[in-house]
Amino acid sequence: MKYNFSEIESKWQKFWEENRTFQTDNSSNKPKAYILDMYPYPSGAGLHVGHPEGYTATDIICRYRRMKGYNVLHPMGWDAFGLPAERYAMQTNIHPRITTEQNIATFRRQIKMLGMSYDWSREIDTTDPAYYKWTQWIFLKIYDSWYDERVRKGRHIRALEEELMRQGTKDLRFGEHFAAGDWKRKSKKEKHDFLARFRLAYIAEIPVNWCEALGTVLANEEVAEWTDKGYTVERRPMRQWIMRITAYAERLLEDAKELDWPPSTTEQQRNWIGRSEGAEVIFPVKGISQNIKVFTTRPDTIFGATYMVLAPEHPLVEAVTTPAQKAAIDEYRSQAKLKSELERGSEAEKTGVFTGGYVINPATKKGIPVWIADYVLMGYGTGAIMAVPGHDERDFAFARKFQLSIIEVVSGGDISNAAYEEDGVAVNSANDEVSLNDLSTGEAKTKISLWLQQKKLGTPTVQYKLRDWLFSRQRYWGEPIPIVHLEDGTMKPLREEELPLLLPELKKFQPSGTTESPLALATEWVAVIDKETGMKGRRETNTMPQWAGSCWYYLRFIDPKNSKEFCSPELERRWMPIDWYIGGAEHAVLHLMYARFWHKVLYDLGHVSTKEPFMKLRHQGMILGEDSRKMSKSRGNVINPDDVVKEYGADAMRLFEMFMGPLEEMKPWSTRGVEGVYRFLNRVWRLYVNEEGILDGAVKEASVPSELERLFHATAKKVGDDIENLRFNTAISQMMILVNELTKSELRPRQILEPLVLLLAPFAPHIAEELWRILGHTSTLAYESWPSFDESKLQQKRVEVVFQVNGKIRAKCDVAVDADEATLKSLALAEANVKLHLGGKQIVKEIVVKNKLVNFVVR
RNA sequence: GCCAAAGUGGCGGAAUUGGUAGACGCGCUGGACUCAAAAUCCAGUCUGGCUUACCCCAGGUGUCGGUUCGAGUCCGACCUUUGGUACCA
């Protein structure tokens, strides 16, 4: 008789829900374990078989941890703001809230159907005003902060104001300088604008990635995702909210070293931050009293800098351009403006125009021509480079095309063919004051940097590829930014009591028709009078990006109902940091970097107690279709979890997803494979339950053969170890071996069958609960203690030892454990096949490894 | 191009520290049970050779070399796949 999984599964899901089996007790004094899944975006398509993979993994860890005596926090929620619901609303005029609610209901039903042990009382939804109130609150905390480089820390903007009031910009590293008195004399607007240059959230007019079809701007990090889907993204200057994540570049890099993350993920973040050490060097412009600063990582090649290139947007282009070249330069600049950085990059052939101007190479004292070219980007370094065509591939290609001179200053390559970028020995690198000749690249760098510093021509500098985070979106379905723009040109943040700032109701969902978000259509909502000053004001109409909600949701789970604080400090200290975080690798740079950034700001401001939120991170691999290709509707290879559960049950689905292979690998679905684990569950069932559906009479306390006992203890050990290390596939194999052995032996010793149910419980909780009940227990097994194993019982009495001649196995022998070397050797020599291969040859070496092998080396 | 991860039977994958390669599952083959089928159970299943024989011999973990008594595991070079990134000076 097959076990009735659908009856058993719904019975236990109901039991867990009614008994609040998995509700987390904040006041427990057990050790804590915060185990978190990346919460999903509830799409209209419902759960995908990829979702349960990670969820099952964390569920197994949680159930195991509970049985090991931990107090487990394991919540689930919804990353529910997002573009699809809004686009659907534009087509149908159905409010995104309604579609979102429906989608959440589907996701919740599907996740519950899989028997995950979430504490549903902590469920959160980022679109709930009670949640986004605190997203807005954190935004304002960030807005009201600045990064004090002297202490490498985010601080309240008030501290900066007080300092300016006290001593002006004396101690600040900042271009412009004024005294305390000057600050006091500044107008409200002037002060406001000055402080805005320090805030961690600020507005700037910058060229952004505008997507007409989506009607919104995209962050640099997001562009690829949409262009891959066929959307076009153009470059446009717009006034946008930006977060100063670059201030935290060094700390994001530094603190990543302590994280237990997949190496490829940390590596990706490192690359994205893109730290490089070099120097800023000043080149005086010939004829006018202006300097152009360049950034270079190879100051040792300065004698080979035969021309300079500015980004087309560089502010000094006009100053260096001669009248004769003006028309050509203007033409090139206006073309470059239209191109996105992506388009610029994809151009195979280098382009550029000579400005007519010259700068002085400070090392050679010679005048070198200044060009503009779009292979130099304004957004990196200083937007200007000293071009060293002999030792930089890009400069080489450019110099070849425009016939600029190429000089060798590092020997080791052949610069008539290609740029030599490797290290080598400096040549042709000397002037009256300094010579780098015959120095290695490393030595030359040090020497020239010192000289440049003495001459006040250069300073060592660190540059990052990381750009500030474009934070605003022209969308309706996102958190409103709680800022009012007053008629005097200043901005005013909402007071805490005014939060949440609710989304206005719209009669019709449509794009605003301009580059503003649809919120601009809610004219009554937009127009405000400032109560304090009576000034007219206009609400910010941009909303936050989808990443905002996920930057801190893990904190809200700790204290989801708190209406006074985003999270109680006491509970925060109890639960943070997250011990296990599992989710898709696609978030390696986006979510995981943004969340770390917010967390660090909150840490600096004293709102959280840990530097990093996610201590241990793992990604689940993608599940492919049965044809080993990516699942997609068009290929018709999509597997729906509902169908699988209906056919084989949730336990079989969970078990199969864990049995497929290592969690982090990409692997194809196999319906046959599901049948395989389903057969296994049936075999387990029959071990305990007879044809009448009750406990089989054979199940009783009985003496157990030592080999079976040993196998049981080995299984108990391996399953626990494997769960700790996320090796669920081998844990399941081990249980299969034990079950096969029990089936074959026809023995049903209760002292093995009882703990076996507990071992299986994290993987297949429903069947385990039912068997536990059938064994006569009256309550859930969720908090039973994890089966222990006896190390002494693991010891085998006999082992198979192999006998080798010249490393090849010639015989095997079953011997007593720990047989001594002499015994092993004589046993080996007694084997006929060993004798045959020794064949009277001389034994030059004997290797004897206890319990493993004997190897004779003969000549 | 650069960075990272990975290549093991017909398939998914084991082998955790250099010591019996292929655990476990799928598929396949044969058998038991059955009027028959399904389900279930049992046996076999890396390749080639020899043979009465699951005895033995040879080969075998992407390729080629190396270290070692012994390499899937360590080292070097290369090839392929996947993911990321792309004029970042």
Side-chain angles (χ1 to χ4, degrees), chain A residues 499-791:
Chain A
L499 300 179
L501 170 61
L502 298 176
L503 278 166
E505 294 303 321
L506 294 183
K507 284 197 191 70
K508 211 165 156 38
F509 290 93
Q510 58 188 50
S512 66
T514 66
T515 54
E516 269 195 278
S517 95
L519 289 184
L521 301 172
T523 45
E524 280 177 37
W525 179 86
V526 169
V528 288
I529 304 285
D530 181 42
K531 287 200 191 88
E532 221 175 7
T533 60
M535 266 191 278
K536 273 194 255 174
R538 196 168 186 281
R539 285 195 198 283
E540 173 64 49
T541 56
N542 285 316
T543 52
M544 300 188 201
Q546 198 181 346
W547 310 109
S550 58
C551 274
W552 75 283
Y553 75 110
Y554 57 91
L555 292 167
R556 190 62 178 173
F557 277 139
I558 291 170
D559 194 9
K561 303 270 186 331
N562 193 332
S563 58
K564 304 261 181 335
E565 296 158 303
F566 77 103
C567 174
S568 124
E570 193 205 332
L571 292 176
E572 188 277 332
R573 280 194 300 274
R574 169 160 306 185
W575 287 108
M576 288 298 286
I578 292 156
D579 301 284
W580 273 103
Y581 193 31
I582 294 187
E586 66 275 19
H587 296 113
V589 278
L590 299 162
H591 159 60
L592 288 169
M593 183 106 83
Y594 298 146
R596 290 180 64 212
F597 163 54
W598 277 36
H599 196 86
K600 285 185 185 305
V601 178
L602 291 173
Y603 173 73
D604 286 351
L605 300 177
H607 296 294
V608 296
S609 61
T610 64
K611 280 199 286 192
E612 288 284 337
F614 317 118
M615 292 316 290
K616 195 166 185 165
L617 169 77
R618 292 294 180 273
H619 304 300
Q620 78 275 16
M622 204 196 316
I623 296 183
L624 305 170
E626 294 210 69
D627 53 3
S628 290
R629 297 192 302 169
K630 220 174 186 169
M631 280 192 199
S632 79
K633 260 191 205 158
S634 58
R635 290 199 185 96
N637 60 355
V638 176
I639 302 288
N640 180 345
D642 283 309
D643 300 339
V644 180
V645 170
K646 204 171 151 210
E647 190 95 4
Y648 303 100
D651 283 336
M653 165 124 188
R654 293 168 56 114
L655 206 58
F656 174 65
E657 292 215 356
M658 295 300 101
F659 185 63
M660 290 167 86
L663 183 72
E664 310 198 36
E665 308 278 273
M666 186 188 285
K667 44 211 175 275
W669 184 262
S670 159
T671 301
R672 299 272 198 196
V674 188
E675 283 169 9
V677 294
Y678 177 58
R679 274 202 281 270
F680 165 70
L681 288 175
N682 274 295
R683 216 150 50 230
V684 172
W685 182 258
R686 283 195 303 270
L687 232 37
Y688 297 78
V689 184
N690 67 13
E691 288 298 312
E692 282 83 53
I694 57 168
L695 188 66
D696 194 301
V699 180
K700 53 176 184 267
E701 296 284 340
S703 71
V704 179
S706 65
E707 197 39 43
L708 188 60
E709 188 178 46
R710 197 197 65 76
L711 180 62
F712 167 73
H713 285 273
T715 304
K717 178 174 172 24
K718 184 161 176 58
V719 173
D721 287 352
D722 282 351
I723 291 174
E724 301 266 10
N725 293 295
L726 242 51
R727 290 192 298 254
F728 306 116
N729 52 336
T730 50
I732 295 165
S733 300
Q734 185 65 33
M735 288 189 280
M736 285 172 167
I737 293 170
L738 177 60
V739 168
N740 288 349
E741 210 47 53
L742 285 164
T743 305
K744 227 181 286 183
S745 75
E746 292 181 16
L747 292 169
R748 302 289 179 267
R750 203 180 172 99
Q751 60 270 49
I752 288 181
L753 292 205
E754 284 225 358
L756 174 59
V757 169
L758 300 177
L759 294 180
L760 182 64
F763 300 83
H766 309 89
I767 191 174
E769 289 273 23
E770 186 67 19
L771 290 173
W772 193 244
R773 183 60 57 100
I774 288 171
L775 281 166
H777 301 278
T778 49
S779 69
T780 173
L781 52 62
Y783 297 93
E784 287 295 322
S785 59
W786 185 253
S788 55
F789 60 91
D790 184 345
E791 198 74 53

